[in-house]
Amino acid sequence: AQKITQTQPGMFVQEKEAVTLDCTYDTSDPSYGLFWYKQPSSGEMIFLIYQGSYDQQNATEGRYSLNFQKARKSANLVISASQLGDSAMYFCAMRESSNTGNQFYFGTGTSLTVIP
Amino acid sequence: GAVVSQHPSWVICKSGTSVKIECRSLDFQATTMFWYRQFPKQSLMLMATSNEGSKATYEQGVEKDKFLINHASLTLSTLTVTSAHPEDSSFYICSARDVTVLYSNQPQHFGDGTRLSIL
């Protein structure tokens, strides 16, 4: 089974509107971390937000918030007040602990386009 | 199942040795593979873009002679860290897609990463 699933290959949002990017994950580890990255056309992967599996509250970082629903194993990214500069690829990732150290798993990404 | 296999997942070696990391696409032909290195605060730095049958394109600040990339076939790219030193210790991740444009709607499949520890 896929560890991370992003079902939206492409999304469009009007500038200043909010948008939700979906992410579901699969793990049997009790301790794990969930990440969202932004990949602009330059190719780098910019860390946006992190949610630990034991965190009680949903993570927020500025205009980014993570809608963490543990029972449903979902970790959707919400971007409020979209800006043109938000147009990019967005990747959801999960970190599990293993005997070889932390292991990362990435989704296939969602391409977000912000329309003026 | 995994569509990109990265090997090894963890390697420890002495300073001065060279380490090869393999990235294989399992069920598609990857014309382009990307190599990333993870830095503190979780960001992943793009090191280079590897195109099958041609020289890799390195990002600014990445030493070509230090990080040798070979993309000999449509399913395999290798990253060799030559004369590795402790500062090269990091987490390296490859990704692959079957188109050459980085920014597109085509899915980008990531390997599970390689943790490199140089003593």
Side-chain angles (χ1 to χ4, degrees):
Chain A
Q2 291 289 337
K3 285 283 190 180
I4 296 287
T5 302
Q6 292 180 254
T7 57
Q8 308 153 313
M11 290 280 288
F12 292 88
V13 64
Q14 202 75 38
E15 192 178 8
K16 300 180 183 178
E17 296 290 314
V19 63
T20 298
L21 306 184
D22 295 341
C23 173
T24 58
Y25 60 92
D26 181 34
T27 182
S28 55
D29 274 357
S31 178
Y32 53 90
L34 297 159
F35 302 77
W36 275 94
Y37 289 87
K38 173 183 178 181
Q39 185 187 55
S41 56
S42 59
E44 65 183 308
M45 296 281 273
I46 303 168
F47 165 72
L48 295 178
I49 196 166
Y50 169 79
Q51 179 85 43
S53 58
Y54 293 120
D55 293 343
Q56 296 295 319
Q57 293 186 326
N58 287 346
T60 60
E61 288 286 347
R63 293 186 299 111
Y64 304 109
S65 61
L66 200 151
N67 185 0
F68 181 45
Q69 298 188 38
K70 196 170 183 177
R72 296 179 58 185
K73 292 189 175 178
S74 75
N76 299 339
L77 176 70
V78 180
I79 305 175
S80 63
S82 298
Q83 301 173 355
L84 296 178
D86 294 334
S87 294
M89 284 290 287
Y90 289 82
F91 291 92
C92 178
M94 177 175 66
R95 181 177 63 195
E96 286 181 331
S97 297
S98 71
N99 56 3
T100 60
N102 294 326
Q103 207 68 36
F104 266 92
Y105 303 95
F106 284 83
T108 52
T110 296
S111 175
L112 177 66
T113 302
V114 180
I115 304 167
Chain B
V3 294
V4 172
S5 173
Q6 191 170 337
H7 177 80
S9 58
W10 191 31
V11 59
I12 303 174
C13 61
K14 293 181 179 180
S15 182
T17 59
S18 293
V19 179
K20 180 184 284 188
I21 303 170
E22 292 186 348
C23 182
R24 293 180 184 273
S25 58
L26 299 181
D27 55 4
F28 68 99
Q29 292 184 330
T31 54
T32 305
M33 290 185 173
F34 307 96
W35 288 95
Y36 295 89
R37 178 176 176 175
Q38 186 178 44
F39 281 93
K41 294 191 176 180
Q42 315 299 341
S43 285
L44 297 175
M45 181 193 79
L46 176 64
M47 298 174 66
T49 302
S50 169
N51 296 303
E52 188 269 336
S54 64
K55 290 183 179 181
T57 302
Y58 289 82
E59 297 299 307
Q60 191 172 9
V62 178
E63 298 177 61
K64 301 177 182 180
D65 297 330
K66 174 79 174 174
F67 299 98
L68 300 179
I69 292 174
N70 183 281
H71 195 153
S73 76
L74 285 171
T75 59
L76 174 64
S77 176
T78 60
L79 167 67
T80 302
V81 183
T82 62
S83 186
H85 291 285
E87 59 265 28
D88 299 323
S89 298
S90 188
F91 192 74
Y92 294 86
I93 302 176
C94 73
S95 71
R97 66 199 318 163
D98 58 6
V99 292
T100 56
V101 177
L102 176 62
Y103 183 60
S104 77
N105 284 341
Q106 288 291 326
Q108 189 173 352
H109 303 282
F110 286 82
D112 292 345
T114 297
R115 182 157 299 282
L116 176 62
S117 298
I118 309 298
L119 304 178

